[in-house]
Amino acid sequence: MGGRDRLAAIHNLKLDVIAHTALVEQSYRQAPFITSYERDQIVIDHEHQRLMQKQHSVWPEADLKGADSDVTLIVTPAGGVYRFGTKDAPCGASDLDATRDALALSPEAVLLTAAEATDLHYAATESLRSTPHTVLAFTWNKTPVKVLVNRFNHLPDAVETTQQFRDFWFYWGDVQQRVYFDNWRLVQGIEYPSNQITERNGILWNSTQALDIEFNAASDDKDFNIDAKAAAQSLQSKGWNRPFSAANSQQLAPGIDLFQGSWNTTIVKQNDGIVILETPISGTFTQGIFDEARKRYPEQNIAAILSTSDSWPHTGGVRYDVAEGLPVYILDLNKPLLDRIVAAPHTLDPDALAKSKKQANWHIVSGRTEIGAGPNRMILYPLRGASTERQYMVYFPEHQLLYASDTLVLNPDHTLYDPELFREVQQAVEHEHLQVKTVYAMHQAPVSWSEVIAVLQKSLA
């Protein structure tokens, strides 16, 4: 790449990049995945262990004409923030982790990091792109790392790690990541890969192409000044492993308790036990839901779980459900994905299922399915729309109450986020001849059905 001295002399790296990401976690119908795009200006400051990324994103699942957005991520040893205009907010835990990786495992840094490792050794030779590669192996920050070095040109072609990430891949436990380096350029006497492609668990996930590369660019410390309080809060983030709160609860009907938050969940008391409608986010969150259900209805056992969607983090508590040995009602189309989630290794941070090693007790929903009897009986209906193919809705006939899975969000201006989603709910309701007075969803508080239909019709006009 130019020699140890040249790499060690890199104080910072400035990149102008264009990138795309396969929305593995967001694509309504799974592969082939919807793609998001971005154009970024990035500064990786090795000397001061900090990063700045000015990001212009194009998000395909935004409302029409609303796909573009801008944000600046700034991470320093004191923490990280998202900057919107002049305001700073705490960044996510995954951004802190990604910055840590960039500072230690990026192309210009990874060989220096390897050289400092006390356990650096050769691993078995591997073939990459039909070419033999020498493999350097070491541990960094408790993370096993392998660097695949091309036998012919002696350049590092890929870096492999096994990590538990704190973005949506959190649910997959021990994730195998490989970052390919390619499209090499000679820049200021250094061979540098202008293209990096990230593969996770065998899925080609992200590709970033540098359009301009500059080492040791002039920088201004003022650009890295961030709100100290927001930065400190970012360091306290637990990522998706967050606790449950019963603070914002609402009784929809006797024995039907809704707990609102970033992801809503409902505890339903029936004659023969408690049914929990959605166990999202994490095992920690789901354990809190179970504790609340047993606190409210100590005389009842938890009889079943309803998991209405394949979308992350809606399925975040499913592994805990399985560990508890409970029947989980899932849509037929989602079984292959959920089977993989349940089987995913969690050795780095063993969760309840990794310890219990129980088998899933799936109850497959492929058509109209009735749960329980009495005033709080529920009927499950697959939606089967183009955007709702992997969701089912839950109807409480005695209350004319509908839970619409992940299809309904009223924007602050009283418009619908993605009207197509709720249009498909309306079609399913009409097809099943349901009488609905009130509707709510994973991210929406209860609202009058007639009100939502009026907003929908306005959006379609």
Side-chain angles (χ1 to χ4, degrees):
M1 294 182 70
R4 175 194 288 264
D5 291 345
R6 286 185 184 273
L7 293 180
I10 297 174
H11 303 299
N12 65 50
L13 169 63
K14 186 176 182 180
L15 300 169
D16 177 10
V17 307
I18 189 167
H20 67 266
T21 302
L23 298 183
V24 178
E25 80 283 14
Q26 295 285 349
S27 297
Y28 295 132
R29 305 176 86 174
Q30 298 295 304
F33 303 110
I34 302 170
T35 305
S36 69
Y37 303 89
E38 60 191 73
R39 181 72 181 269
D40 303 338
Q41 281 71 48
I42 303 171
V43 176
I44 303 174
D45 187 341
H46 292 282
E47 182 178 8
H48 300 98
Q49 293 291 286
R50 59 192 184 182
L51 175 144
M52 176 184 295
Q53 179 175 332
K54 296 180 179 180
Q55 182 183 85
H56 177 79
S57 297
V58 182
W59 185 252
E61 291 184 327
D63 290 332
L64 295 179
K65 301 180 181 180
D68 292 79
S69 64
D70 294 279
V71 64
T72 298
L73 169 69
I74 306 173
V75 179
T76 75
V81 301
Y82 302 127
R83 178 163 293 166
F84 302 92
T86 60
K87 295 184 178 180
D88 289 353
C91 76
S94 61
D95 295 299
L96 300 178
D97 295 345
T99 297
R100 174 203 66 187
D101 287 4
L103 289 167
L105 303 180
S106 57
E108 72 279 7
V110 66
L111 294 178
L112 298 174
T113 300
E116 294 176 358
T118 58
D119 64 343
L120 178 63
H121 61 282
Y122 289 111
T125 298
E126 294 186 24
S127 180
L128 182 66
R129 302 187 180 108
S130 302
T131 302
H133 282 69
T134 297
V135 179
L136 308 177
F138 62 98
T139 303
W140 168 78
N141 199 29
K142 299 182 180 180
T143 299
V145 182
K146 294 197 300 184
V147 184
L148 280 68
V149 180
N150 190 295
R151 282 281 186 90
F152 299 137
N153 55 44
H154 309 295
L155 293 172
D157 273 349
V159 175
E160 296 182 359
T161 59
T162 302
Q163 303 183 53
Q164 178 159 29
F165 291 94
R166 293 196 288 177
D167 52 20
F168 84 90
W169 293 90
F170 166 78
Y171 305 107
W172 294 92
D174 307 354
V175 173
Q176 306 293 323
Q177 175 173 278
R178 174 183 282 179
V179 181
Y180 296 88
F181 298 157
D182 207 352
N183 206 15
W184 291 82
R185 311 278 183 147
L186 182 63
V187 181
Q188 298 170 228
I190 296 172
E191 290 283 348
Y192 189 83
S194 64
N195 182 231
Q196 297 182 48
I197 298 175
T198 301
E199 180 183 86
R200 288 188 177 177
N201 284 353
I203 295 173
L204 290 175
W205 179 49
N206 171 270
S207 179
T208 299
Q209 175 63 48
L211 306 177
D212 193 17
I213 303 165
E214 184 179 0
F215 298 112
N216 299 329
S219 62
D220 190 341
D221 285 342
K222 293 180 181 178
D223 292 338
F224 289 90
N225 289 339
I226 56 179
D227 182 88
K229 182 178 180 180
Q233 288 176 347
S234 73
L235 298 177
Q236 305 304 314
S237 173
K238 297 184 181 298
W240 295 110
N241 198 25
R242 59 187 68 175
F244 171 78
S245 173
N248 189 11
S249 64
Q250 176 183 355
Q251 188 178 74
L252 303 181
I256 304 178
D257 302 306
L258 168 65
F259 299 87
Q260 296 184 60
S262 297
W263 291 270
N264 297 337
T265 187
T266 310
I267 296 175
V268 182
K269 180 180 180 295
Q270 294 188 326
N271 295 338
D272 54 354
I274 297 167
V275 177
I276 296 178
L277 173 50
E278 306 291 20
T279 53
I281 305 180
S282 70
T284 299
F285 188 91
T286 299
Q287 183 177 357
I289 298 169
F290 283 31
D291 292 344
E292 181 65 23
R294 289 162 177 153
K295 175 183 175 182
R296 292 200 173 212
Y297 305 109
E299 75 285 359
Q300 295 271 25
N301 292 321
I302 297 175
I305 307 298
L306 308 185
S307 185
T308 72
S309 166
D310 70 332
S311 179
W312 81 291
H314 301 186
T315 60
V318 164
R319 285 180 57 90
Y320 187 87
D321 301 334
V322 173
E324 290 287 298
L326 292 168
V328 185
Y329 286 77
I330 63 171
L331 192 67
D332 47 8
L333 297 180
N334 296 339
K335 184 178 182 297
L337 177 68
L338 292 172
D339 280 341
R340 295 199 301 273
I341 287 179
V342 167
H346 283 63
T347 64
L348 298 175
D349 184 16
D351 62 1
L353 182 56
K355 296 171 183 176
S356 74
K357 300 181 180 179
K358 290 188 178 179
Q359 299 297 309
N361 181 9
W362 302 133
H363 285 230
I364 304 302
V365 178
S366 56
R368 183 186 187 279
T369 303
E370 193 157 338
I371 307 290
N376 290 340
R377 70 186 177 101
M378 293 174 280
I379 306 175
L380 319 182
Y381 295 97
L383 281 165
R384 305 301 197 201
S387 297
T388 58
E389 187 175 68
R390 296 175 184 273
Q391 301 180 54
Y392 65 80
M393 57 185 185
V394 181
Y395 182 55
F396 299 81
E398 274 63 40
H399 306 293
Q400 296 186 345
L401 173 67
L402 181 71
Y403 174 77
S405 191
D406 189 22
T407 63
L408 173 61
V409 176
L410 284 173
N411 296 321
D413 62 355
H414 209 63
T415 59
L416 276 174
Y417 168 76
D418 198 344
E420 171 65 23
L421 294 171
F422 198 74
R423 171 59 182 154
E424 294 174 13
V425 173
Q426 181 194 35
Q427 291 173 330
V429 166
E430 291 174 352
H431 180 267
E432 301 296 342
H433 306 289
L434 307 182
Q435 298 297 316
V436 181
K437 286 185 178 179
T438 305
V439 60
Y440 75 109
M442 174 64 79
H443 306 293
Q444 177 60 51
V447 62
S448 163
W449 174 263
S450 59
E451 178 183 349
V452 178
I453 293 301
V455 175
L456 175 63
Q457 290 173 345
K458 185 178 179 179
S459 71
L460 299 176

